[in-house]
Amino acid sequence: MDNLAYVLPQTNPLASELPLLQAEQLSQWFAPGKGFAPLDLSLYRGEVLAIVGESGSGKTTLLKALSGRLTPQQGQVLYRHGEQAANLYQISEAQRRNIMRQDFGIVHQHPMDGLRPRISAGGNIGERLMEVGWRHYGDIRAQAKSWLSAVEIDIDRIDDLPITFSGGMAQRLQIARNLVTHPKVVFMDEPTGGLDVSVQARLLDLIRKLVSELQLAVVIVTHDLAVARLLAHRIMVMKQGEVVEAGLTDRVLDDPQHPYTQLLVSSVLQQ
Amino acid sequence: MEPFMMAKNISKSFVLHNQGGVELKVLQGHDFSVASGECVVLSGSSGSGKSSLLRSLYGNYQVNQGEILVKHNDAWLDLARAEPRQILQLRRHTLGWVSQFLRVIPRLSALDIVMQPQLDVGIPHQQAETKACELLTHLNVPEHLWHLAPATFSGGEQQRVNIARGFALDYPLLLLDEPTASLDEHNANQVISLIHRAKANGAAIVGIFHDTWVRDQVADRIYPMQAAH
């Protein structure tokens, strides 16, 4: 029976697939404890990666560097689309803008950072479509309506300004604005951060559903381990700019190896 | 018989860094295998490492030593060293798990919870729903609960939703962590019949069963365990 292991080939059926997004020796180190130390990271289609850690651990800086919004001091970010791999910080500004507009979505913690307050809800969604070439008003409005209902906003609110929306509703609008162009990768920074618990649950469930239906690749920054457990396939734990532990979400949370991860996990109140 | 899963010389300890670096040895030098169509029951007193072994076999605990080989796509995958997404793929298609408790997802109905693993592997909605309804009926989950989120269900009802979810796909390898713990005799018997059916379909099963009478009905073999030290 021992020999059996050698009879069958020890192959990796997934080896042929290349990561959608890949960071190599990426670093942005302002000062000790500010930014993040060199790290490697891969993200595949349909995969959700959570970056957890306390405030000041470099999570948000890393998210910016990964999403094309912050030129890193060191290392590179590769984005594969079609047959090509673009090195985000070596291509031209115009090419990078193009990738970010067509293929990336960014969900900010504060919805108003990602919305236009003086444009209607429908306009907020439609604007993204116009940026990628949609011109027909009827089509754009129809698409906006369909996305409002996908994120559970009453379509009667289509002409209202986002500043009249509640926090949870505005966050859902921000998600609709991001997903309407069918991005390949969505970056989320504490998307449930400032929301009431009941609103959080609804939003998380919505994100979970959309991620799986659209097969999105997601990088989500959160300090909430419950959010990570619910949404993420993999988790990366950061402390003072360094990755101290990474792996399968349930493995990291149920069998944490690093002292800091153990501290984080044991600090959560049992429900 | 040819094994479907083999654990070779696996050991596991916990190091509690924030409690003086205490090291707790939970598994030491286990050799273990299970074949298709066979049910192996882990047996031992409380603290003998049954749950830790089962969790290690699922990739939920990281063993410190040894190999855990599972047949997957006609190759052996070593769970102790596999990439996270290999483990996830294995869990999606090959390796099923029924825990003692249902981890409730807000707002998801009982029916959706049972359908989810089937939808994840591309089974059409209608077919997944039929199978889910059949299992919930078999496990006596009242029909008026199917469209409700299980957060408010009783412990036994939650557990039966959990079991339905675990049996909704015909996993070639199924790990059961006290699936009958909070069930009455009638419902425990319903679970036993699901286990028999899975075995007849060729599933390899590893389980922990607290009740001797349940164990006697499902076990082909007992794997005795003692606390590591």
Side-chain angles (χ1 to χ4, degrees):
Chain A
M1 141 184 159
D2 269 334
N3 292 330
L4 209 68
Y6 307 101
V7 176
L8 294 172
Q10 200 142 16
T11 56
N12 171 6
L14 301 170
S16 54
E17 197 195 328
L18 292 167
L20 201 58
L21 192 76
Q22 200 169 359
E24 290 169 346
Q25 287 302 298
L26 188 69
S27 170
Q28 178 71 20
W29 198 246
F30 305 114
K34 292 214 171 244
F36 59 94
L39 58 83
D40 294 329
L41 175 158
S42 301
L43 184 74
Y44 293 81
R45 203 173 70 89
E47 189 178 49
V48 181
L49 170 71
I51 303 174
V52 305
E54 59 202 17
S55 324
S57 58
K59 306 184 301 267
T60 298
T61 313
L62 171 60
L63 198 72
K64 281 188 178 160
L66 287 175
S67 56
R69 291 174 294 155
L70 176 78
T71 308
Q73 286 171 336
Q74 184 194 320
Q76 54 184 10
V77 180
L78 288 175
Y79 172 66
R80 282 198 181 77
H81 51 135
E83 297 292 299
Q84 295 172 321
N87 190 327
L88 278 192
Y89 296 104
Q90 280 176 17
I91 53 179
S92 71
E93 175 75 21
Q95 285 172 314
R96 183 164 70 245
R97 290 268 150 223
N98 210 27
I99 287 177
M100 290 170 67
R101 195 162 50 227
Q102 304 239 354
D103 291 7
F104 287 3
I106 291 164
V107 176
H108 300 269
Q109 175 176 1
H110 304 292
M112 286 309 161
D113 292 345
L115 291 171
R116 290 186 183 271
R118 311 253 162 235
I119 296 180
S120 69
N124 264 283
I125 298 175
E127 187 186 41
R128 292 299 299 266
L129 288 171
M130 293 190 324
E131 281 173 6
V132 295
W134 288 47
R135 289 293 174 264
H136 188 278
Y137 177 78
D139 290 349
I140 293 173
R141 193 163 170 93
Q143 192 69 6
K145 276 185 184 166
S146 119
W147 269 96
L148 283 177
S149 54
V151 297
E152 303 171 11
I153 295 174
D154 193 337
I155 52 171
D156 291 344
R157 302 295 302 265
I158 190 166
D159 296 316
D160 294 350
L161 298 180
I163 45 172
T164 66
F165 284 12
S166 69
M169 214 157 118
Q171 193 57 295
R172 281 180 275 132
L173 179 62
Q174 194 194 181
I175 287 170
R177 177 178 156 94
N178 269 285
L179 296 187
V180 67
T181 50
H182 294 109
K184 306 283 190 302
V185 190
V186 179
F187 301 90
M188 301 187 180
D189 191 358
E190 303 272 11
T192 59
L195 304 173
D196 289 344
V197 178
S198 60
V199 180
Q200 267 189 31
R202 180 177 189 182
L203 190 67
L204 283 172
D205 181 56
L206 183 74
I207 295 174
R208 195 189 53 78
K209 195 166 132 235
L210 292 171
V211 164
S212 114
E213 278 172 8
L214 304 170
Q215 278 290 292
L216 296 172
V218 178
V219 184
I220 181 168
V221 159
T222 179
H223 66 272
D224 188 337
L225 298 183
V227 169
R229 192 188 280 274
L230 190 67
L231 293 179
H233 300 110
R234 282 192 297 134
I235 199 168
M236 210 167 92
V237 184
M238 293 186 72
K239 186 196 180 199
Q240 294 174 350
E242 309 221 29
V243 178
V244 296
E245 186 165 355
L248 200 61
T249 300
D250 62 272
R251 207 280 295 149
V252 172
L253 296 181
D254 293 339
D255 185 14
Q257 311 285 316
H258 190 275
Y260 179 66
T261 319
Q262 291 186 354
L263 185 66
L264 275 186
V265 170
S266 67
S267 305
V268 176
L269 296 174
Q270 298 287 324
Q271 291 201 324
Chain B
M1 212 169 6
E2 182 181 293
F4 190 86
M5 166 186 261
M6 300 184 277
K8 294 180 180 175
N9 193 27
I10 56 169
S11 296
K12 163 77 187 158
S13 57
F14 292 105
V15 180
L16 309 178
H17 292 286
N18 301 303
Q19 294 178 58
V22 176
E23 184 179 357
L24 300 174
K25 287 183 179 158
V26 290
L27 299 173
Q28 204 155 31
H30 283 276
D31 282 301
F32 173 87
S33 73
V34 60
S36 296
E38 183 187 35
C39 176
V40 179
V41 172
L42 310 182
S43 166
S45 55
S46 176
S48 59
K50 303 185 295 290
S51 270
S52 294
L53 178 57
L54 206 64
R55 283 171 177 269
S56 300
L57 299 181
Y58 192 59
N60 179 239
Y61 281 179
Q62 175 68 52
V63 293
N64 308 110
Q65 179 195 310
E67 292 178 296
I68 301 169
L69 301 174
V70 184
K71 212 180 278 183
H72 180 56
N73 293 344
D74 290 325
W76 291 104
L77 182 70
D78 181 2
L79 269 184
R81 280 163 199 85
E83 294 287 318
R85 50 194 210 100
Q86 291 178 306
I87 297 179
L88 288 171
Q89 211 208 23
L90 189 78
R91 288 178 180 177
R92 197 168 297 137
H93 300 278
T94 305
L95 178 58
W97 167 265
V98 177
S99 61
Q100 280 185 61
F101 303 104
L102 178 69
R103 199 179 280 280
V104 180
I105 300 167
R107 299 207 308 166
L108 214 54
S109 76
L111 194 61
D112 286 336
I113 288 173
V114 180
M115 285 169 64
Q116 198 62 53
Q118 304 177 75
L119 300 177
D120 286 347
V121 295
I123 290 174
H125 195 276
Q126 188 59 49
Q127 192 183 331
E129 187 171 336
T130 307
K131 176 92 184 198
C133 293
E134 185 225 314
L135 280 162
L136 289 169
T137 307
H138 179 84
L139 291 163
N140 301 303
V141 178
E143 197 170 340
H144 66 268
L145 297 179
W146 293 1
H147 294 279
L148 302 177
T152 53
F153 292 9
S154 76
E157 284 161 350
Q158 288 195 8
Q159 177 59 349
R160 281 177 277 146
V161 171
N162 206 19
I163 293 165
R165 176 186 165 87
F167 281 90
L169 272 182
D170 295 325
Y171 295 103
L173 176 59
L174 195 52
L175 309 176
L176 308 172
D177 187 2
E178 302 215 35
T180 53
S182 47
L183 303 185
D184 58 32
E185 193 176 325
H186 174 68
N187 282 312
N189 271 314
Q190 293 299 90
V191 176
I192 292 170
S193 82
L194 286 177
I195 295 173
H196 284 150
R197 197 157 81 184
K199 264 167 63 175
N201 284 336
I205 297 175
V206 184
I208 302 171
F209 298 92
H210 190 257
D211 297 312
T212 330
W213 71 273
V214 178
R215 183 195 309 172
D216 291 344
Q217 289 197 56
V218 297
D220 294 300
R221 194 152 56 86
I222 301 282
Y223 183 77
M225 296 187 68
Q226 281 178 347
H229 44 77

